[in-house]
């Protein structure tokens, strides 16, 4: 019923433009067939009665319905003024050239569609095609902002602009994880992920419309309190103190986690979510750095202990503010380099994107922890017993770290050395599939969005993980190594959602945990599979 | 003379439109990095799996090794054979390749026609020159011309029918998408008809190119438009040259910017360098975004805004 959708349909009245029926999603293999008839549960009508819900089965932003026609018209005008600004250098120097090139050269060949996990897994629903939302924006731009556009639209592709179009387009920009897999296959080099990113920016920077998890509770809270988790500096220090104690308990190895050491070689910045959800990751980093004798520190200054930069996903202004704070903290600490912990988007934000933002002494060297860790592992400073990691391991490639930064091999070289059961997913490296948690989805779970993510967005990753462990006995514990906090969050959620721990004995964690687990100096295992230790002391 | 005038006008539009497109690109402000791996100017070992210089410890202390050879090794088959499409969308490649290769061969034939005209001019015109070079050119023009026309016809007809019959293409196509292919098909089919029915050795094409270079001097008594098909081919080829750079079909050369200025632009911002200077200029630009948290008033620069906190909610 939803197939055969055209871009112009986005402005046509309908309560739900695209609904996924039971059985339409890509099938899962045994023992998960019972999920094949499961579909996204309906939104609670009471909770959403004042919100725009007419795109599909879920909502990510929750845009309030305008009170009257005048308000609607004002919003349409505001959208157009934002769209215009996307093409002005004063307002969008950051992405003007990439945006113009991608807007002007799509050949509508649909090669990108087959590369998109959301489109493929959804049962190939048209609205999730990578170029669908790009084409909508292109048509609006040409028709409403180009001279003579209303006439040429009849020839180049028409669309009506009304509040419905806009509200749906805003929501639709949050059905793409910005993984940019589509961009790698486009024969021309058009980047539909980028266009989605620009649509999100328009809504945020001009209209103040963004998911609350990214904006209010994300960048705003990050800059105000110190972390998007809500942890202020005191709470962060408390958590780390607790981690220190725990680590000794877990591994029998005592770690001291240094704070605010001026002149240290390395400022390590974690995604602060690690401190709350995966404290062992923070502890494992400390263990490795300490055992390798590195000169390093954490920062207890607000913003400095949380590497995330959600602005990367929706707002250049918020992005810039967070990046400048990160760099400034490192500058004042007089460290030699910043090392990014296991967080993919934070890697890309501060290392690559902020590279054309930071000038003078704010432009400090930034390095991926994958690289620092590989150097340690190769240096011979630590002794390993790879047999301690003698269980099946597969590696998830965070899109931001791999496809957007080209950091592909260091983590693999580490795994080949310390994890004899390591095997690749298919495909992997720069051709990987997103975990489904990209671009903020891992932390967005309002209304029924988490179910949409687990059923549609993360489905391809789940299939890939199952495939990587094919042939392994069900009762053998299996480890999905995901060196990124957001990816871990998404993978944790799919494991829980599909009961994959019970059914396939799937476990997940970071890379540093595997490294520490194989360190000869550890008296006890770092990794446990439920109650079962990964090795016996 | 009307044909020649039209061709001159169209070539002028082509040059102007292409120059404008390129000018617009090179005068845009430097943008943030948005590269996508594999980046093909990396060393062969790295490009093979999509790695970058960021994989090296203390990468900023090292010289970034780049490989032009590797870049060319990737680009040539990409440009000539559309390798990306072959890998990702084989069924489309089967028609897109003949279409594009047909166009390339037409461009190559045009180049050969110009060389041919120059050879004649360099000899004792109006006496027809002989010799090896001339014979070689005559042969080459027939081979590239005919192959290009056949491939181009197959490709454009194939593209047209695929776009019309497959819903995933049809639902996203507008009038102009069909018009563009039809336009190109009109050239291919008329040129092929002229070759088949009146001019298998492409004598008319050679004479027309000669006329173009000489302001209309006749070669072997040729006058353009002797056959309807030949006339249509000249008019449609001229109009196409003017039309292509005005449309998304300019991707034929704009791909350079999509790849080199975005996808593979991994140039580092070094302190005191050219990139830093360009960024500093950008940071002085004054945005006017209207959302509250941005706090832009048209007077504050990006630098001011980036170093301030958002207006609290
Ligand atoms: S973005 Fe690229 S792959 Fe997708 S339809 Fe456009 S030209 Fe084709
Ligand atoms: S960026 Fe990723 S999720 Fe978004 S359209 Fe492209 S492939 Fe799909």
């Amino acid at each position: 019923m939803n197939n055969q959708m055209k871009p112009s349909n986005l402005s046509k009245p309908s309560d739900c433009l695209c609904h996924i029926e039971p059985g339409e999603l890509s099938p899962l293999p045994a023992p998960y067939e019972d999920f094949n008839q499961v579909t996204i549960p309906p939104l609670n009508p009471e909770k959403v009665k004042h919100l725009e819900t007419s795109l599909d089965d879920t909502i990510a932003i929750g845009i309030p319905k305008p009170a009257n026609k005048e308000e609607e018209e004002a919003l349409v005008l505001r959208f157009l003024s934002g769209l215009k600004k996307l093409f002005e250098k004063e307002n969008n120097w950051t992405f003007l050239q990439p945006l113009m090139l991608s807007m002007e050269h799509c050949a509508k060949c649909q090669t990108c569609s087959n590369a998109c996990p959301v489109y493929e897994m959804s049962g190939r629903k048209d609205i999730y095609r990578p170029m669908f939302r790009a084409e909508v924006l292109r048509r609006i731009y040409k028709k409403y902002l180009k001279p003579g556009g209303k006439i040429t639209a009849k020839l180049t592709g028409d669309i009506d602009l009304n509040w419905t179009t806009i509200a749906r387009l805003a929501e639709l920009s949050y059905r793409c994880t910005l993984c940019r897999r589509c961009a790698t296959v486009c024969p021309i080099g058009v980047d539909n992920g980028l266009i989605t990113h620009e649509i999100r920016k328009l809504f945020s920077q001009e209209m103040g419309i963004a998911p609350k998890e990214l904006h209010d509770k994300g960048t705003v809270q990050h800059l105000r309190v110190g972390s998007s988790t809500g942890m202020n500096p005191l709470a962060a220090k408390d958590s780390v103190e607790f981690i220190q104690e725990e680590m000794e308990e877990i591994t029998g190895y005592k770690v001291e986690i240094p704070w605010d050491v001026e002149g240290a070689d390395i400022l390590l910045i974690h995604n602060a979510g690690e401190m709350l959800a995966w404290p062992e990751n923070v502890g494992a980093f400390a263990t490795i750095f300490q055992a390798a004798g590195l000169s390093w520190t954490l920062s207890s200054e607000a913003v400095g202990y949380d590497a995330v930069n959600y602005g990367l996903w929706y707002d250049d202004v918020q992005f810039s503010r967070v990046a400048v704070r990160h760099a400034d903290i490192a500058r004042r600490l007089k460290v030699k380099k910043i090392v990014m912990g296991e967080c993919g988007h934070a890697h890309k934000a501060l290392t690559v994107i902020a590279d054309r933002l930071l000038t003078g002494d704010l432009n400090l060297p930034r390095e991926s922890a994958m690289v620092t860790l590989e150097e340690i592992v190769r240096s011979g400073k630590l002794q390993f017993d790879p047999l301690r990691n003698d269980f099946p391991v597969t590696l998830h490639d965070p899109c931001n770290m791999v496809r957007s930064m080209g950091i592909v091999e260091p983590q693999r070289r580490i795994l080949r050395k310390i994890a004899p059961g390591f095997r690749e997913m298919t495909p992997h490296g720069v051709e990987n599939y997103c975990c489904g948690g990209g671009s903020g989805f891992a932390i967005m779970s309002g209304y029924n969005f988490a179910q949409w993510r687990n059923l549609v967005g993360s489905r391809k990753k789940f299939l890939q993980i199952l495939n990587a462990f094919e042939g392994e006995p069900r009762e053998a514990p299996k480890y999905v190594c995901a060196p990124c906090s957001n990816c871990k969050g998404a993978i944790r959620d799919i494991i829980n959602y599909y009961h994959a721990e019970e059914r396939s004995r799937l476990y997940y964690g970071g890379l540093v945990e595997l490294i520490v687990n194989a360190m000869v100096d550890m008296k006890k295992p770092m990794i446990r599979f439920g109650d079962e230790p990964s090795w016996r002391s | 003379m009307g044909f020649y005038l039209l061709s001159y006008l169209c070539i002028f539009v082509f040059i102007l439109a292409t120059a404008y497109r390129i000018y617009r690109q090179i005068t845009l402000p430097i943008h943030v990095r948005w590269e996508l791996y594999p980046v093909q100017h990396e060393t062969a070992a790295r490009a093979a799996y999509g790695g970058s210089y960021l994989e090296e410890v203390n990468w900023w202390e090292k010289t970034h090794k780049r490989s032009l050879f590797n870049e060319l090794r990737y680009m040539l088959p990409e440009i000539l054979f559309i390798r990306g499409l072959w890998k990702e969308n084989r069924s489309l490649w089967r028609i897109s390749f003949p279409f594009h290769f047909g166009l390339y061969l037409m461009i190559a034939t045009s180049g050969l026609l110009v060389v041919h005209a120059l050879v004649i001019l360099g000899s004792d015109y109006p006496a027809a020159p002989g010799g090896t070079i001339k014979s070689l050119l005559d042969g080459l023009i027939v081979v590239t011309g005919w192959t290009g026309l056949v491939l181009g016809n197959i490709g454009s007809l194939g593209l047209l029918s695929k776009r019309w019959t497959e819903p995933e293409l049809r639902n996203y196509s507008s009038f102009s998408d069909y018009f563009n292919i039809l336009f190109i098909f009109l050239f291919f089919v008329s040129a092929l008809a002229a070759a088949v029915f009146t001019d298998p050795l492409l004598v008319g094409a050679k004479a027309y190119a000669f006329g173009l270079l000489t302001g209309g001097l006749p070669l072997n008594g040729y006058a353009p438009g002797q056959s309807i098909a030949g006339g249509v081919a000249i008019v449609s080829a001229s109009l196409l040259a003017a039309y292509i750079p005005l449309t998304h079909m300019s991707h034929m050369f704009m791909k350079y910017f999509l790849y080199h200025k975005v996808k593979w632009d991994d140039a580092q911002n070094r302190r005191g360098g050219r990139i830093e200077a360009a960024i500093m200029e950008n940071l002085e630009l004054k945005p006017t975004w209207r959302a509250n948290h941005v706090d832009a008033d048209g007077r504050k620069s990006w630098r001011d805004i980036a170093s301030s906190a958002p207006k609290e909610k």
Side-chain angles (χ1 to χ4, degrees), chain A residues 19-31:
Chain A
H19 168 62
I20 298 176
E21 297 283 349
E24 283 191 317
L25 293 168
S26 273
L28 297 172

Side-chain angles (χ1 to χ4, degrees), chain A residues 115-118 130 133 176-182 193:
Chain A
C116 174
V118 175
R133 50 183 91 73
C176 156
T177 65
L178 309 185
C179 76
R180 300 176 74 205
R181 199 168 187 276
C182 51

Side-chain angles (χ1 to χ4, degrees), chain B residues 41-68:
Chain B
H41 58 234
E42 277 292 346
T43 55
R46 281 225 183 89
Y49 63 81
S52 74
Y53 62 86
L54 297 169
E55 287 188 329
E56 278 182 54
V57 81
N58 296 343
W59 55 264
W60 53 92
E61 291 173 353
K62 300 171 185 160
T63 335
H64 178 194
K65 284 197 209 98
R66 294 162 67 112
S67 162
L68 181 65

Side-chain angles (χ1 to χ4, degrees), chain A residues 68-138:
Chain A
N68 50 43
K69 261 271 149 306
E70 288 74 50
E71 208 176 292
E72 266 189 44
E73 278 160 20
L75 285 163
V76 170
L77 289 178
R78 186 111 174 207
F79 171 86
L80 282 177
S81 92
L83 182 55
K84 192 159 161 276
K85 288 176 190 172
L86 281 184
F87 294 88
E88 294 169 350
K89 75 171 184 179
E90 290 72 20
N91 284 302
N92 201 21
W93 64 267
T94 43
F95 284 92
L96 183 55
Q97 187 172 32
L99 174 64
M100 277 171 61
L101 287 165
S102 280
M103 285 287 277
E104 288 173 10
H105 294 101
C106 173
K108 303 179 195 164
C109 70
Q110 298 295 358
T111 306
C112 50
S113 291
N114 288 334
C116 174
V118 175
Y119 169 67
E120 184 194 347
M121 292 293 108
S122 69
R124 299 183 183 272
K125 297 291 181 196
D126 269 297
I127 65 160
Y128 301 139
R129 284 181 188 278
M131 62 82 82
F132 188 94
R133 50 183 91 73
E135 183 59 17
V136 167
L137 192 75
R138 204 172 277 127

Side-chain angles (χ1 to χ4, degrees), chain B:
Chain B
M1 200 59 204
F3 284 98
Y4 290 122
L5 284 179
L6 177 74
S7 295
Y8 291 138
L9 185 70
C10 291
I11 292 168
F12 180 68
V13 173
F14 170 83
I15 293 170
L16 217 65
T18 308
Y20 174 67
R21 274 205 184 258
I22 294 170
Y23 170 79
R24 215 170 45 141
Q25 288 301 317
I26 57 180
T27 50
L28 285 171
I30 194 165
H31 55 85
V32 297
R33 276 167 61 180
W34 194 250
E35 71 254 37
L36 194 62
Y37 290 85
V39 166
Q40 297 296 344
H41 58 234
E42 277 292 346
T43 55
R46 281 225 183 89
Y49 63 81
S52 74
Y53 62 86
L54 297 169
E55 287 188 329
E56 278 182 54
V57 81
N58 296 343
W59 55 264
W60 53 92
E61 291 173 353
K62 300 171 185 160
T63 335
H64 178 194
K65 284 197 209 98
R66 294 162 67 112
S67 162
L68 181 65
F69 172 71
N70 207 51
E71 190 175 321
L72 290 175
R73 203 172 56 168
Y74 175 86
M75 275 168 54
L76 282 180
E78 176 59 38
I79 295 170
L80 285 179
F81 306 118
I82 325 182
R83 182 184 44 192
L85 200 63
W86 182 79
K87 186 170 165 234
E88 305 295 344
N89 193 345
R90 194 70 54 91
S91 77
L92 183 58
W93 181 86
R94 286 193 192 105
I95 48 175
S96 183
F97 169 70
F99 176 79
H100 284 92
F101 207 74
L103 282 173
Y104 295 156
L105 286 173
M106 285 298 102
I107 294 168
T109 309
S110 310
L112 290 170
L113 290 172
V114 170
V115 176
H116 179 268
L118 291 174
V119 168
I120 293 177
L121 279 174
S123 64
D124 48 352
Y125 173 81
T132 329
I133 295 186
K134 169 81 168 54
S135 317
L136 194 70
L137 278 173
D138 284 341
L140 267 177
I141 287 168
V142 169
V143 172
T144 55
W146 270 92
T147 320
L149 290 177
V150 171
L151 287 177
N153 274 291
I154 297 172
S156 42
L157 264 185
L159 281 182
L160 210 54
S161 88
K162 196 169 172 74
R163 192 161 283 284
W164 185 253
T165 52
E166 292 189 8
E168 73 165 0
L169 297 179
R170 186 180 170 140
N171 287 339
Y172 295 84
S173 301
S174 59
F175 169 82
S176 65
D177 296 310
Y178 296 107
F179 176 81
N180 293 347
I181 311 175
L182 266 171
F183 196 169
I184 295 175
F185 175 61
L186 176 68
F187 159 70
F188 277 125
V189 79
S190 56
L192 185 66
V196 170
F197 297 115
T198 58
D199 188 10
L201 296 178
L202 309 186
V203 175
K206 285 185 260 185
Y208 191 75
F210 183 81
L212 261 186
L213 281 193
T214 55
L217 281 183
L219 186 67
N220 306 328
Y222 167 86
Q226 284 164 343
S227 72
I228 294 180
V232 174
I234 292 171
V235 171
S236 56
S238 303
L239 291 175
L240 261 182
Y243 181 66
I244 284 178
L246 303 173
T247 68
H248 79 83
M249 294 185 289
S250 56
H251 67 241
M252 279 179 100
F253 56 90
M254 293 303 284
K255 227 172 140 171
Y256 170 84
F257 293 97
L258 281 145
Y259 276 70
H260 289 80
K261 292 291 160 198
V262 184
K263 233 179 143 174
W264 296 347
D265 177 9
D266 61 352
Q268 303 149 29
N269 166 21
R270 303 254 185 198
R271 280 196 207 174
R274 182 187 56 81
I275 294 180
E276 186 178 68
I279 299 166
M280 297 227 234
E281 258 179 50
N282 289 347
L283 290 174
E284 296 313 318
L285 294 168
K286 297 178 173 65
T288 54
W289 293 107
R290 277 164 70 194
N292 276 342
H293 71 271
V294 176
D295 200 17
D297 54 9
R299 287 192 301 273
K300 290 194 192 98
S301 66
W302 275 89
R303 184 185 297 283
D304 302 331
I305 290 172
S307 46
S308 68
K311 259 192 191 168
E312 301 299 343
K313 287 216 161 177

Side-chain angles (χ1 to χ4, degrees), chain A residues 194-458:
Chain A
L194 168 88
I195 294 181
T196 307
H197 176 259
E198 298 300 288
I199 298 174
R200 291 182 179 191
K201 269 168 53 182
L202 183 175
F203 281 104
S204 177
Q205 295 173 189
E206 186 71 1
M207 306 177 75
I209 293 174
K212 63 181 182 320
E213 294 92 336
L214 303 194
H215 189 69
D216 300 341
K217 292 185 182 168
T219 55
V220 171
Q221 178 164 241
H222 193 185
L223 288 161
R224 195 183 60 229
V225 179
S227 162
S228 57
T229 57
M231 263 192 304
N232 62 23
L234 219 59
K237 282 187 118 168
D238 275 354
S239 310
V240 170
E241 200 171 310
F242 166 77
I243 292 169
Q244 269 180 188
E245 288 160 17
E246 279 291 292
M247 279 307 285
E248 194 174 357
E249 184 80 5
I250 295 170
T251 61
Y253 182 90
K254 190 171 167 53
V255 280
E256 295 282 347
I257 301 185
W259 286 104
D260 305 316
V261 182
E262 213 179 283
D265 288 349
I266 291 172
L267 168 65
L268 175 65
I269 320 187
H270 291 291
N271 176 325
E274 300 281 354
M275 298 179 192
L276 299 177
W278 303 284
E280 61 283 0
N281 183 276
V282 177
F285 259 105
T287 306
I288 297 166
F289 279 20
Q290 179 175 309
L294 301 193
S295 150
W296 69 289
T297 187
L298 298 182
S299 162
S300 70
E301 190 173 328
V303 183
Y305 52 87
D306 193 352
V308 306
N309 191 342
Y310 295 170
L312 178 72
W313 301 320
Y314 80 102
D315 191 301
D316 287 347
V317 173
Q318 295 294 82
F319 168 84
S320 309
R321 285 170 170 152
V322 172
V324 166
R325 288 284 289 275
H326 281 146
D328 191 44
I329 287 165
R331 179 184 66 86
R332 282 184 282 106
L333 269 176
K334 301 190 178 67
V335 293
K336 294 208 179 95
K337 62 182 170 188
I338 301 174
V339 168
M340 309 304 301
E342 293 189 1
C343 179
H345 90 275
H347 262 72
K348 175 164 107 177
L350 198 56
T351 317
V352 174
I353 310 294
D355 193 43
R356 302 258 173 98
L357 176 74
L358 303 172
T359 55
D361 55 1
L362 283 181
N363 186 6
L364 280 144
R366 283 100 56 200
E367 182 173 283
S368 162
M370 303 298 107
V371 176
T372 321
L373 290 167
E374 190 202 0
E375 176 80 356
I376 296 171
V377 169
R378 281 211 311 204
S379 69
K381 285 182 189 158
L382 311 182
Q383 297 304 308
F384 296 106
D385 176 2
L387 289 178
R388 288 182 171 183
N389 282 336
D390 196 14
F391 40 82
V393 173
T394 193
L395 175 69
H396 164 68
D397 285 302
C399 303
N400 285 308
M401 195 185 281
V402 174
R403 196 158 29 246
S404 291
M405 287 181 75
I407 297 177
V408 186
E409 271 296 307
Q411 56 271 42
R412 295 183 153 73
R413 287 193 285 257
I414 295 172
L415 284 174
R416 286 184 208 116
K417 185 153 179 170
I418 61 158
F422 167 56
R423 79 281 314 273
E424 293 281 11
M425 292 188 199
T426 312
H428 57 267
V430 289
E431 293 181 357
N432 77 319
Y433 280 102
C434 175
C435 61
S439 80
F441 287 9
I443 51 160
M444 288 161 55
S445 54
Y447 313 99
N448 59 359
F449 192 74
Q451 280 101 325
W452 183 89
R453 165 165 38 82
N454 287 324
L455 282 166
V456 185
S458 296

